[in-house]
Amino acid sequence: QVQLVESGGGLVQAGDSLRLSCAASGRTFTSTAMGWFRQAAGKEREFVAAISGSGGTTHYKDSVKGRFTVSRDNAKNTVYLQMNSLKPEDTAVYHCAARRYFQATVTSTESLYPYWGQGTQVTVSS
């Protein structure tokens, strides 16, 4: 059973930075691609960023490119999302997600991530 636990959310002002963490447990983490998604109030969940199992390939939603950076530390079974220059429109609950074991390639397709964390709230005030 895979468990994902996010942390690091909070209330910040526009222009500030936050780093989200996602701690994974339950099985070997190295060979699995991970993603970050977000859901704003009243909106559908959307893709934010993804990273391959090795960490060598990343993929981002256009609106966060240049501001957000996804990374991972496989020794710690943890994925990070560094968010800089935050904007009010980044306000959402952020979820990390994992692909199935040995599916190491990145994708923005939500249905290809069967494992999800409960999320952490990020609120950006103007």
Side-chain angles (χ1 to χ4, degrees):
Q1 183 74 14
V2 176
Q3 292 184 324
L4 304 174
V5 179
E6 303 95 336
S7 61
L11 172 63
V12 297
Q13 293 186 333
D16 285 350
S17 298
L18 277 176
R19 189 176 80 156
L20 305 183
S21 299
C22 173
S25 62
R27 60 163 164 81
T28 302
F29 180 68
T30 306
S31 300
T32 302
M34 302 290 292
W36 285 97
F37 293 77
R38 67 187 182 188
Q39 187 167 21
K43 296 186 177 181
E44 293 188 351
R45 191 158 56 188
E46 63 177 5
F47 169 78
V48 176
I51 187 166
S52 63
S54 67
T57 302
T58 56
H59 179 47
Y60 296 94
K61 174 182 173 62
D62 284 347
S63 64
V64 308
K65 285 180 181 178
R67 300 189 298 123
F68 291 11
T69 302
V70 59
S71 62
R72 64 192 298 160
D73 184 340
N74 285 342
K76 295 182 178 180
N77 276 7
T78 302
V79 176
Y80 304 98
L81 185 66
Q82 177 68 43
M83 305 185 295
N84 299 330
S85 302
L86 282 162
K87 304 176 181 180
E89 51 263 43
D90 294 319
T91 295
V93 177
Y94 283 71
H95 299 267
C96 71
R99 296 200 66 187
R100 295 192 184 281
Y101 192 36
F102 272 122
Q103 291 181 339
T105 54
V106 298
T107 177
S108 60
T109 304
E110 184 175 329
S111 62
L112 296 180
Y113 293 87
Y115 306 107
W116 292 81
Q118 291 191 330
T120 185
Q121 176 72 46
V122 172
T123 304
V124 185
S125 64
S126 57

